Amino acid sequence: YLYLLANNPKKAEHYFTLSQTLREKNLPRRSVFRAYPVVGLAELAIKQHEDDKALLLLYKAEKMMNRATTSFYSGESLYKNIQFNKAELLFRKKDYKQLPRVIDKLFSGGSIFALTSNNEVRSQVPKVFEMQARYYLETGDLEKAEEFLKKARAFSKTFRSSMTDFSIQRTGALLHWAKNDATASAQALKNLTGSYKNFVVDNFSSMSEHEKEDFFLLLKADFDLLNAFILGNQNHEQASVFFEWAYNNQLFSKALLLNETNKLKNQITTSGDEELKRVFNEWEDVRARLSAMHYQKKKDQIEITRLENQVESLEKILNQRSSVLKTYSEEITWRNVQGTLQEGEAAVEIIRLKQFSITDQKQKFRFTDSVFYLVLCVEKNSVHPKGFFITDGTMLESRFLTFYRNCTMGKINDTVSYNAFWKPIKNKLPGVRKIYLSADGVYNQINLSTLRNPDTRNYLLNELDFVFVTNTKDLLLASNEQSNPNASLYGRPSYRMDEEQIRQKDTESTIKVREIRSENLDNFREQSFSDLPGTETEISKIQELLKSNQWGVNYRTGFDASETNLKSEKGTPVLHIATHGFFLSQKEGEEINSMIRSGIILAGVNNEQSANDHLDDGILTAYEATSLNLEGTNLVVLSACETGLGDTKNGIGVYGLQRGFTVAGAKHLLMSLWKVDDRSTNLLMQYFYSEWLAGEEIHQAIKKAQLKMMTEYPHPYYWGPFILLGK
């Protein structure tokens, strides 16, 4: 179970199977204890979405328990657990023939109290009634559903359980929806999302990051349910109010997992609590060791799992003893965002969602595969947020995204993407010239500024000012004037440091793209990383510009462009890193954190590594980047390939380098969405710094640099890979 909770299915299966073998060998044939690893294997199958396999295992475990002759042990809790898991699986499979029998077993032969004195079992009474209500709801007996839902609500007052309360509220909302009472359903869904918010206020700060992510999936599913309800009721007389709720929920949920670890670090390091400091230092060390172990050729999977569990335990201690993260009760609404806007400006939240079906028998009470995008817009004089849906989301994520990428990488004129991705939004924002945009889904994978208007023949870069933010709540952040003119520049690392590295001259044979050749995690460090002389030229030119404007500069190339030096940066106002970047895809059957599969390459990556080199193995992963001390850092530039990519988690953001540096405290992040050309990137960065140092606001500086690049390199492949994230 430890490995199951630690998201290591291979090890979990190994030990469940080993346990099963040992019990069959050493315990009596009808021992109740033989059933435990079978249930474990079933729960593993459930987690891996192998529903048929899980059901077979649960029926096997039930049969074993029914035949057990173990004395003085009833196994009642395990038996109930089997039935609850079976019931949920049968709901998923819509097997309404077997469901009544399983639910009846949860009622202990008709009297849920009479046959048990087990308080743990008794506490599940509301959950059983909720399941019964859900069964009648899905089979169309709404009167019976209402009857059992009332019982569930009544008993939930005695046996409190937040997770069961969420289920009861969700089933109640769906019951109103099925009765075509949109007003009551809307209110019930609003109450449900409100309950999640209250739970976060009361409990979130004491949870580990893994626990938070697991809970967020539950929260997100029901926030999505409200958005799907709005999709089905967008013409309701209260639709404008529904859009308000959706906007406020997005402000709350999208920032939920972006806790700034550096704030926690600053509080701890300035406190007098030496024990807490020791725990924090241990936490950072364990995280670095864990990240490095994934890049070793021979992995010690047992040690990796031990470190994962150690990280989680240390996180709990830090979160419970710190007050930094206990800020969730602050209520931010769309009105607060609106108060920051000027005439001609708009704040836009894009939300990916799926349709929820109430009537279609094949998909009844299920999210369908049809993808939609809800676009919520707020302007200075908005009475309510303006909301509308883009209905061809599935096409956007498949055909149109592929077309956009092919045109970009092939340097082909794109006459399609503007109408697909932007025209539906443009039509709702007449007169708007500046847009603060928080993207979701496929909109995280394109640079809107590179879309070409087929009517005007101009790119959106020419027609609009975009400010890309993680959440439009960022508009409430105070502007940060650059009062400390200092920068740290990293470029052209010596990838092998234990011998004199041969520096190539910038000839025609020099690699012109800052890309990684091998994407195999096991052999990643074994490859020979190509030298990037253009990155040294890049930071050399930037150094000249900065020094001519009286900036202090830490210039780090060769051996100095190391992970150790980067980790020692403390709130440096500008941090510029020019090297190889990567995001590695996950192999089938692998369960490796996407933040560990994303990173940048620094000095010494090709060195022979010892077990003690985990703090400086030449690879800074996004996982490690979250622990950097970037409080006070105004700008991080990741001048490498695909540094803006990662696992796109809908409603959360991109899990990769952009998340790592944002969590660490960087106010602005300049990153790339595709493989960048060495020479054009060099020029773009020089133009950007020239404009910024001349007094341009940072977003205008990158825009002017791109416009200047456009005159020399007309295709967006050259000037469009970089986007600036942050307000």
Side-chain angles (χ1 to χ4, degrees):
Y1 272 100
L2 181 66
Y3 286 114
L4 180 63
L5 292 170
N7 283 323
N8 189 334
K10 288 184 179 179
K11 284 293 181 182
E13 183 173 16
H14 168 74
Y15 282 107
F16 279 137
T17 304
L18 179 59
S19 174
Q20 185 180 27
T21 302
L22 290 170
R23 289 168 193 244
E24 289 174 354
K25 180 179 179 181
N26 294 287
L27 293 176
R29 191 165 61 89
R30 294 198 173 188
S31 169
V32 70
F33 297 106
R34 284 191 175 206
Y36 277 83
V38 179
V39 176
L41 287 167
E43 293 186 3
L44 173 63
I46 291 171
K47 196 163 188 177
Q48 295 180 311
H49 304 286
E50 297 174 335
D51 292 357
D52 291 336
K53 178 181 177 181
L55 264 178
L56 288 173
L57 288 166
L58 289 170
Y59 278 114
K60 178 181 178 180
E62 181 183 15
K63 187 176 181 179
M64 294 168 72
M65 294 197 73
N66 289 337
R67 293 180 175 181
T69 57
T70 306
S71 302
F72 308 110
Y73 185 82
S74 69
E76 189 171 18
S77 293
L78 181 63
Y79 187 79
K80 295 295 184 187
N81 187 36
I82 291 171
Q83 305 311 323
F84 276 121
N85 279 315
K86 280 169 58 181
E88 291 296 353
L89 284 169
L90 292 171
F91 271 117
R92 271 156 55 170
K93 292 173 69 68
K94 299 175 67 176
D95 187 341
Y96 299 121
K97 289 183 179 180
Q98 295 191 67
L99 255 173
R101 290 194 293 271
V102 174
I103 294 174
D104 187 58
K105 290 174 182 178
L106 286 166
F107 276 97
S108 296
S111 175
I112 201 162
F113 298 112
L115 301 181
T116 181
S117 59
N118 186 322
N119 285 332
E120 181 184 350
V121 174
R122 288 167 64 89
S123 67
Q124 295 172 338
V125 172
K127 185 176 179 180
V128 179
F129 281 129
E130 184 277 325
M131 280 188 164
Q132 189 78 71
R134 204 185 334 156
Y135 165 74
Y136 284 118
L137 170 64
E138 295 195 15
T139 54
D141 191 338
L142 304 187
E143 188 174 330
K144 279 281 191 182
E146 182 69 46
E147 175 188 336
F148 280 96
L149 198 59
K150 285 180 180 177
K151 292 180 180 180
R153 290 181 181 130
F155 284 110
S156 69
K157 295 175 183 177
T158 304
F159 302 105
R160 301 296 300 176
S161 166
S162 295
M163 296 303 134
T164 301
D165 284 346
F166 295 147
S167 296
I168 291 171
Q169 291 183 69
R170 182 188 310 112
T171 300
L174 293 175
L175 180 58
H176 289 303
W177 195 346
K179 289 180 175 180
N180 294 317
D181 189 344
T183 301
S185 182
Q187 189 59 51
L189 287 168
K190 182 175 185 292
N191 293 341
L192 172 60
T193 56
S195 295
Y196 277 108
K197 292 178 183 178
N198 292 335
F199 183 91
V200 167
V201 171
D202 293 338
N203 300 283
F204 218 57
S205 61
S206 62
M207 299 165 77
S208 70
E209 290 304 309
H210 178 69
E211 288 173 328
K212 288 174 182 176
E213 289 185 21
D214 277 354
F215 174 77
F216 183 84
L217 295 177
L218 295 174
L219 174 150
K220 178 70 169 59
D222 285 339
F223 278 40
D224 284 348
L225 187 60
L226 174 58
N227 292 335
F229 168 83
I230 297 171
L231 171 64
N233 293 272
Q234 55 188 294
N235 296 319
H236 191 275
E237 60 184 8
Q238 287 187 285
S240 58
V241 176
F242 299 163
F243 290 133
E244 286 187 15
W245 297 348
Y247 201 115
N248 293 342
N249 283 346
Q250 189 73 352
L251 293 180
F252 176 86
S253 64
K254 199 171 183 186
L256 196 55
L257 297 178
L258 276 177
N259 296 326
E260 294 182 9
T261 304
N262 62 293
K263 288 185 178 180
L264 176 65
K265 182 174 184 176
N266 289 339
Q267 185 197 60
I268 292 171
T269 54
T270 57
S271 74
D273 192 332
E274 295 302 319
E275 174 60 17
L276 195 59
K277 291 180 185 179
R278 184 198 66 77
V279 173
F280 188 86
N281 290 334
E282 182 183 0
W283 176 71
E284 285 194 317
D285 181 76
V286 174
R287 283 165 57 90
R289 201 180 316 154
L290 173 61
S291 183
M293 286 199 73
H294 280 286
Y295 288 88
Q296 292 180 3
K297 190 167 186 177
K298 294 183 178 179
K299 295 183 178 62
D300 184 343
Q301 193 61 56
I302 294 178
E303 178 65 6
I304 286 175
T305 302
R306 188 188 72 79
L307 292 174
E308 289 172 341
N309 294 325
Q310 190 176 356
V311 166
E312 189 157 346
S313 297
L314 293 169
E315 280 175 357
K316 282 189 175 182
I317 295 172
L318 294 170
N319 289 342
Q320 288 167 353
R321 294 180 61 177
S322 171
S323 61
V324 169
L325 303 179
K326 299 177 182 179
T327 59
Y328 303 110
S329 58
E330 180 185 7
E331 182 70 22
I332 302 295
T333 73
W334 72 275
R335 287 288 188 190
N336 300 109
V337 173
Q338 183 184 46
T340 68
L341 298 174
Q342 304 298 318
E343 292 288 347
E345 295 182 346
V348 176
E349 287 281 355
I350 298 178
I351 305 173
R352 183 187 188 271
L353 70 147
K354 289 190 174 182
Q355 191 174 36
F356 190 86
S357 175
I358 289 289
T359 56
D360 183 356
Q361 288 301 317
K362 290 184 179 180
Q363 297 289 335
K364 200 170 183 181
F365 296 101
R366 300 288 187 275
F367 284 102
T368 71
D369 293 331
S370 300
V371 176
F372 294 77
Y373 280 86
L374 169 58
V375 183
L376 298 167
C377 311
V378 173
E379 298 177 57
K380 182 176 178 59
N381 298 315
S382 299
V383 178
H384 299 281
K386 187 185 300 179
F388 59 95
F389 292 90
I390 298 175
T391 59
D392 56 350
T394 305
M395 290 286 286
L396 290 183
E397 296 179 358
S398 53
R399 176 184 171 187
F400 288 118
L401 177 60
T402 300
F403 186 83
Y404 171 81
R405 286 174 172 169
N406 289 342
C407 288
T408 299
M409 303 312 294
K411 307 177 188 65
I412 301 168
N413 185 31
D414 183 351
T415 60
V416 173
S417 296
Y418 179 95
N419 288 336
F421 289 103
W422 187 248
K423 192 172 183 178
I425 301 175
K426 171 186 178 293
N427 292 339
K428 303 292 183 178
L429 294 171
V432 171
R433 285 288 304 166
K434 185 173 186 178
I435 296 174
Y436 297 92
L437 188 135
S438 172
D440 196 11
V442 70
Y443 284 88
N444 280 309
Q445 301 178 60
I446 64 173
N447 183 353
L448 288 171
S449 295
T450 64
L451 304 184
R452 194 170 194 179
N453 187 333
D455 297 327
T456 64
R457 307 294 294 169
N458 289 324
Y459 291 101
L460 272 178
L461 182 72
N462 305 97
E463 299 183 346
L464 286 172
D465 289 337
F466 282 108
V467 177
F468 300 104
V469 292
T470 56
N471 186 318
T472 53
K473 185 161 64 173
D474 293 350
L475 273 65
L476 301 175
L477 298 174
S479 297
N480 185 24
E481 295 297 328
Q482 194 62 58
S483 58
N484 181 15
N486 284 288
S488 291
L489 311 178
Y490 289 73
R492 202 183 186 186
S494 295
Y495 298 127
R496 188 170 187 86
M497 295 168 59
D498 54 1
E499 63 183 38
E500 185 65 27
Q501 182 167 8
I502 300 174
R503 291 301 188 99
Q504 300 176 1
K505 293 184 178 181
D506 191 5
T507 64
E508 290 185 4
S509 63
T510 300
I511 298 296
K512 296 296 185 182
V513 178
R514 302 174 189 182
E515 65 178 332
I516 299 296
R517 294 177 180 176
S518 171
E519 294 199 350
N520 187 326
L521 191 65
D522 294 336
N523 300 310
F524 186 76
R525 293 185 62 257
E526 305 300 316
Q527 67 180 297
S528 179
F529 294 93
S530 57
D531 183 38
L532 295 175
T535 63
E536 184 174 18
T537 303
E538 179 180 313
I539 65 169
S540 177
K541 295 289 187 182
I542 293 169
Q543 178 184 222
E544 292 176 13
L545 289 168
L546 292 170
K547 284 189 171 181
S548 67
N549 283 270
Q550 287 73 55
W551 278 57
V553 177
N554 292 321
Y555 184 79
R556 300 193 182 278
T557 63
F559 301 166
D560 285 337
S562 68
E563 189 178 355
T564 296
N565 285 333
L566 185 56
K567 287 179 175 178
S568 69
E569 298 285 349
K570 293 185 178 179
T572 307
V574 172
L575 180 60
H576 187 109
I577 307 168
T579 182
H580 288 293
F582 66 90
F583 176 70
L584 306 179
S585 57
Q586 185 157 255
K587 291 190 297 186
E588 186 175 352
E590 263 186 347
E591 291 288 341
I592 299 176
N593 190 325
S594 52
M595 299 287 282
I596 289 177
R597 291 184 281 111
S598 176
I600 53 175
I601 303 300
L602 294 164
V605 67
N606 286 142
N607 282 15
E608 294 295 327
Q609 297 286 315
S610 71
N612 296 320
D613 290 335
H614 60 272
L615 292 176
D616 193 342
D617 63 349
I619 300 173
L620 181 84
T621 64
Y623 185 71
E624 293 175 280
T626 61
S627 296
L628 295 175
N629 190 343
L630 301 183
E631 180 69 16
T633 298
N634 188 29
L635 173 66
V636 171
V637 179
L638 298 178
S639 184
C641 286
E642 301 177 332
T643 50
L645 298 185
D647 277 343
T648 301
K649 299 192 177 183
N650 301 315
I652 305 177
V654 178
Y655 271 61
L657 283 168
Q658 68 166 274
R659 184 175 185 81
F661 281 92
T662 301
V663 168
K667 182 164 183 172
H668 298 96
L669 183 62
L670 190 59
M671 57 193 179
S672 62
L673 293 179
W674 54 80
K675 298 185 189 308
V676 299
D677 176 80
D678 206 21
R679 185 172 183 276
S680 60
T681 299
N682 191 326
L683 284 174
L684 178 67
M685 294 302 168
Q686 291 180 51
Y687 293 156
F688 164 64
Y689 279 98
S690 295
E691 296 290 347
W692 192 33
L693 293 170
E696 284 290 350
E697 187 270 334
I698 191 168
H699 297 92
Q700 285 299 308
I702 188 64
K703 178 173 181 174
K704 286 194 171 184
Q706 289 173 318
L707 288 171
K708 190 171 183 179
M709 283 285 298
M710 194 187 294
T711 62
E712 302 174 54
Y713 296 90
H715 197 275
Y717 167 80
Y718 297 101
W719 55 262
F722 286 92
I723 64 169
L724 182 67
L725 183 70
K727 182 261 180 186

